[in-house]
Amino acid sequence: MGEFPQFVRLPLARWVDQGVEWLTREYGPLFDWMGQVLLVPLVQLERLLLWLPWWAVILAVALVAWKVSGWKLAAGTAAGLIFIGTLGLWEHAMKTLTLVIAGTALAVVVAIPTGIAMARSDLLERVIRPVLDLMQTMPSFVYLVPAAMLFPLGKVPAVMATFIYAVPPAIRLTNLGIRQVPADVVEAARAFGSTPGQLLVKVQLPLALPTIMAGINQTVMMALAMVVVASMIGAGGLGTEVLNGIARLEAGRGFVGGLSIVILAIIIDRISQGLIRAHPR
Amino acid sequence: MALIEVRGLTKIFGPQPQRALALLEQGLSKEEVMAKTGHSVGLYNVSLSIGEGEIFVIMGLSGSGKSTLIRCLNRLVEPTAGEIWLRGQNLLELDERGLRALRQRTMSMVFQRFGLLPHRTVLENVAYGLEVQKVPRREREERALRWLEVVGLKGWEKAYPRQLSGGMQQRVGIARALCTDPEILLMDEPFSALDPLIRREMQDELLALQSRLNKTIVFITHDLDEALRLGNRIAILRDGQVVQVGTPEEILSNPADDYVAEFTRDVNRSRVLTARSAMYKPRAVVVERGGPWAALRVMEEQALSSVFVVDGEQRFVGLVTVEAAVAAAQKGLTDLRELAIREVPTAAPDTYLEDLIPVAAHSKWPIAVLDGAGRLVGVIPRVAVLRALAGRREAVDFPNPRSSAAM
């Protein structure tokens, strides 16, 4: 008697299946083309990171760390990256980094204009907010499948899935940052005859920047988390090591891969945090 | 000559202001409109004319609509109905571009909470108005530097607003407003956030600045003392309507209604009221050639123990007491000029009562009010100084003090 009546079944699952099938059938070439467009810079970036000598990459990252924070972070960053190298995971780490950079870049490019638009229109905010909730709370495996069906397996669906998972905080905090700019400052800027564009560029964005940066920091961290999951659809990188470790019951392999991800995460987090603080306010 | 003419200005807050406006025009009160439509009436049918080069103060308690009114002038708040005329142009008909030009060049604004851009240096803040107009960096920074010097902040140009005290931040605000060389300055409670000492200092500086620049200034305040100190004319706003417009003295000595009277009750009148408003027509006066007998007769008629002595042209000579007059009459002296006490305190009609308080306290005699030619135009009994300060209501038992000013 505890069972829900049989005749009231909503065939939502079938509808989604049909929708995805329809998309692949009708717009297959479009997605293929989009995939190619995305793939080219992705491959270039990965090639660059793998072509560069390991010490050059370490030096560059340490330099950035030193710039935004100080010698302590620079030393820690270099030590962490060298450690990953000694574990034999350099190539995997660079592949992961590629996905994180690409996913984040895509997210930022989309998030900032969206966040600005949301901040300007209450209606738009009401519409977009539930969509962001959906993107953030939906288990990420769920959209991995349609992404893999629409795009050729590999890096592109991984970047797309990463993008979907990681973009919400950047949008939210861009919106929040602009809305939090004190009303009296905005009013003063308007009183001196600023155009809406001048108001945005000269007042709202600079004042929202710390908040926007906090959003981007979260986006990077989420992108890194997603990269592990994305290895299931052949994205490559450190996630593959973790996945293989589980699949083959090799605890050591999984641990080493996982540890490397943690090190990357800490480095990326500290550098982007440093960027927020380095900004004069 | 009026520079700004505000006619029938109304602002109703809410999604359908026109509906509420129609009800208001049918004669419903604001409370009824609020209850019926949920719209609040910010301003209703405000008409003002603001003269060129004057400091026009708009004062009222919080919620009286004064901030709304000043923001309607540059349309930071969009009025619901009415007209605002400036040099033959109705500002409410300006399009976006025209409105920006107005804000950039003609009217600038100073804010209660300063409204400085926290991420910009003092210099960049002052230059902001010119930057918006796309004035080249070099020129705008030169001009901004000059204004910083005028407001006394030379050397602070590279500081950030948060490093400055409140008073200094507002100086930046004033320099920023002046930097675009506007005709009209809108000042929204610019000194209210400052502590009283600094506030007084800023008021003095504003007056000094104004005597050089001759801008038209619309100044909002909730502080009557400030209004009286700064305003050439004052408009008193209550519940979104103008209750009274007048010079400081008019407002104080002739409050239009109980609301204004209530307002003016606690004010420091001594800084506004002058000898003219406290003096009486001199009645106990004798011409010097009349001699002691004439003086004694006047004293008798007026039931006084002393009279003022004037010469043939009404010029003030001094004061003769009853004792001196009796003694002189017995000795057969006739020259009142010799009997007259010269140490009588005098004042001009424009002397502030503030300055007469110590005089009244230390003198045995009433204060003689003399015009520029030394003619006796009024008398202020010592007690009248204090009565005038206490407010109009208590002063009315004195015989019509204002009529003596005409003499």
Side-chain angles (χ1 to χ4, degrees), chain B residues 202-256:
Chain B
M202 297 288 282
Q203 289 166 356
D204 288 340
E205 279 175 40
L206 180 67
L207 287 173
L209 209 57
Q210 169 67 353
S211 66
R212 273 171 48 202
L213 300 174
N214 250 314
K215 303 282 182 191
T216 301
I217 299 178
V218 183
F219 191 104
I220 299 273
T221 183
H222 62 258
D223 174 1
L224 187 61
D225 273 333
E226 184 168 73
L228 297 170
R229 251 168 86 69
L230 297 178
N232 296 110
R233 285 191 308 141
I234 300 169
I236 294 185
L237 215 59
R238 176 197 192 180
D239 291 342
Q241 282 176 294
V242 175
V243 182
Q244 187 174 12
V245 182
T247 63
E249 274 205 81
E250 282 165 9
I251 300 267
L252 271 193
S253 43
N254 273 317

Side-chain angles (χ1 to χ4, degrees), chain A residues 187-204:
Chain A
E187 186 181 49
R190 288 207 312 146
F192 281 91
S194 311
T195 62
Q198 286 171 330
L199 181 65
L200 185 68
V201 173
K202 292 177 194 289
V203 179
Q204 289 173 315

Side-chain angles (χ1 to χ4, degrees), chain B residues 81-330:
Chain B
E83 295 165 4
I84 300 170
W85 291 91
L86 172 72
R87 296 200 190 295
Q89 164 80 59
N90 182 359
L91 300 184
L92 302 193
E93 283 166 1
L94 289 174
D95 59 6
E96 277 295 315
R97 180 182 292 266
L99 184 58
R100 275 203 296 275
L102 174 85
R103 291 172 180 173
Q104 286 175 1
R105 295 169 199 278
T106 314
M107 272 186 200
S108 64
M109 198 160 178
V110 180
F111 299 88
Q112 179 177 6
R113 307 237 51 105
F114 319 137
L116 301 178
L117 307 174
H119 61 296
R120 291 177 161 233
T121 63
V122 164
L123 187 69
E124 288 166 341
N125 263 289
V126 175
Y128 184 79
L130 295 176
E131 183 183 332
V132 164
Q133 295 177 32
K134 302 202 168 71
V135 172
R137 175 179 290 272
R138 200 195 208 143
E139 188 193 333
R140 69 181 188 238
E141 292 194 341
E142 254 168 44
R143 284 167 66 180
L145 261 177
R146 276 210 301 279
W147 283 109
L148 271 178
E149 216 174 318
V150 170
V151 301
L153 283 181
K154 198 180 178 194
W156 289 91
E157 54 271 8
K158 289 198 172 64
Y160 283 88
R162 63 167 185 278
Q163 298 169 296
L164 270 53
S165 69
M168 288 161 87
Q169 290 192 37
Q170 195 57 297
R171 284 164 203 266
V172 177
I174 292 171
R176 175 175 66 176
L178 290 170
C179 194
T180 56
D181 194 24
E183 220 180 331
I184 299 158
L185 223 52
L186 306 177
M187 305 185 87
D188 181 24
E189 301 210 35
F191 306 145
S192 298
L194 307 178
D195 64 62
L197 227 65
I198 306 287
R199 192 182 308 158
R200 186 75 187 256
E201 195 182 311
M202 297 288 282
Q203 289 166 356
D204 288 340
E205 279 175 40
L206 180 67
L207 287 173
L209 209 57
Q210 169 67 353
S211 66
R212 273 171 48 202
L213 300 174
N214 250 314
K215 303 282 182 191
T216 301
I217 299 178
V218 183
F219 191 104
I220 299 273
T221 183
H222 62 258
D223 174 1
L224 187 61
D225 273 333
E226 184 168 73
L228 297 170
R229 251 168 86 69
L230 297 178
N232 296 110
R233 285 191 308 141
I234 300 169
I236 294 185
L237 215 59
R238 176 197 192 180
D239 291 342
Q241 282 176 294
V242 175
V243 182
Q244 187 174 12
V245 182
T247 63
E249 274 205 81
E250 282 165 9
I251 300 267
L252 271 193
S253 43
N254 273 317
D257 63 12
D258 288 350
Y259 176 76
V260 181
E262 184 68 20
F263 233 130
T264 57
R265 214 180 51 186
D266 297 329
V267 76
N268 188 350
R269 288 154 185 276
S270 63
R271 294 212 298 263
V272 181
L273 292 181
T274 56
R276 183 178 281 117
S277 61
M279 70 190 187
Y280 302 102
K281 187 173 173 175
R283 267 183 281 211
V285 177
V286 63
V287 181
E288 58 177 343
R289 60 184 137 68
W293 289 109
L296 284 168
R297 205 181 63 239
V298 173
M299 285 183 235
E300 195 182 346
E301 272 171 21
Q302 302 288 331
L304 290 170
S305 58
S306 62
V307 288
F308 286 114
V309 181
V310 295
D311 68 10
E313 269 97 61
Q314 291 285 314
R315 281 195 297 263
F316 180 68
V317 175
L319 179 133
V320 173
T321 62
V322 65
E323 294 87 359
V326 169
Q330 284 167 353

Side-chain angles (χ1 to χ4, degrees), chain A residues 9-225:
Chain A
R9 284 293 145 89
L10 194 65
L12 184 59
R14 214 172 64 231
W15 293 345
V16 173
D17 285 345
Q18 285 168 350
V20 173
E21 257 169 54
W22 176 77
L23 272 178
T24 4
R25 201 172 54 239
E26 298 293 318
Y27 292 96
L30 178 70
F31 283 105
D32 283 348
W33 175 80
M34 273 169 61
Q36 284 303 317
V37 169
L38 273 171
L39 194 60
V40 173
L42 214 55
V43 170
Q44 296 294 338
L45 180 63
E46 189 179 295
R47 259 192 213 151
L48 176 74
L49 286 177
L50 288 175
W51 171 82
L52 284 170
W54 59 271
W55 50 265
V57 175
I58 293 178
L59 211 63
V61 177
L63 198 70
V64 173
W66 178 70
K67 268 278 179 201
V68 301
S69 174
W71 66 270
K72 276 189 194 163
L73 182 61
T77 300
L81 287 175
I82 289 169
F83 181 64
I84 292 175
T86 59
L87 294 176
L89 294 175
W90 184 260
E91 195 181 326
H92 284 297
M94 289 305 107
K95 284 182 174 170
T96 296
L97 204 57
T98 307
L99 289 178
V100 171
I101 292 172
T104 307
L106 192 60
V108 169
V109 166
V110 172
I112 288 179
T114 311
I116 291 170
M118 251 173 105
R120 294 199 161 192
S121 153
D122 289 339
L123 177 71
L124 209 57
E125 192 191 30
R126 276 205 296 280
V127 171
I128 293 179
R129 187 164 273 187
V131 176
L132 296 181
D133 291 337
L134 189 82
M135 287 161 86
Q136 264 185 314
T137 46
M138 185 71 85
S140 44
F141 297 100
V142 173
Y143 45 81
L144 219 49
V145 178
M149 286 172 74
L150 291 171
F151 296 103
L153 268 182
K155 294 188 192 324
V156 173
V159 168
M160 288 311 291
T162 304
F163 161 76
I164 293 171
Y165 183 67
V167 78
I171 296 180
R172 273 188 217 280
L173 287 172
T174 301
N175 173 41
L176 181 72
I178 291 177
R179 282 178 185 264
Q180 273 179 343
V181 173
D184 59 332
V185 175
V186 172
E187 186 181 49
R190 288 207 312 146
F192 281 91
S194 311
T195 62
Q198 286 171 330
L199 181 65
L200 185 68
V201 173
K202 292 177 194 289
V203 179
Q204 289 173 315
L205 281 182
L207 287 176
L209 198 58
T211 311
I212 296 175
M213 289 303 293
I216 293 176
N217 169 267
Q218 283 189 36
T219 290
V220 184
M221 301 313 290
M222 289 176 70
L224 191 61

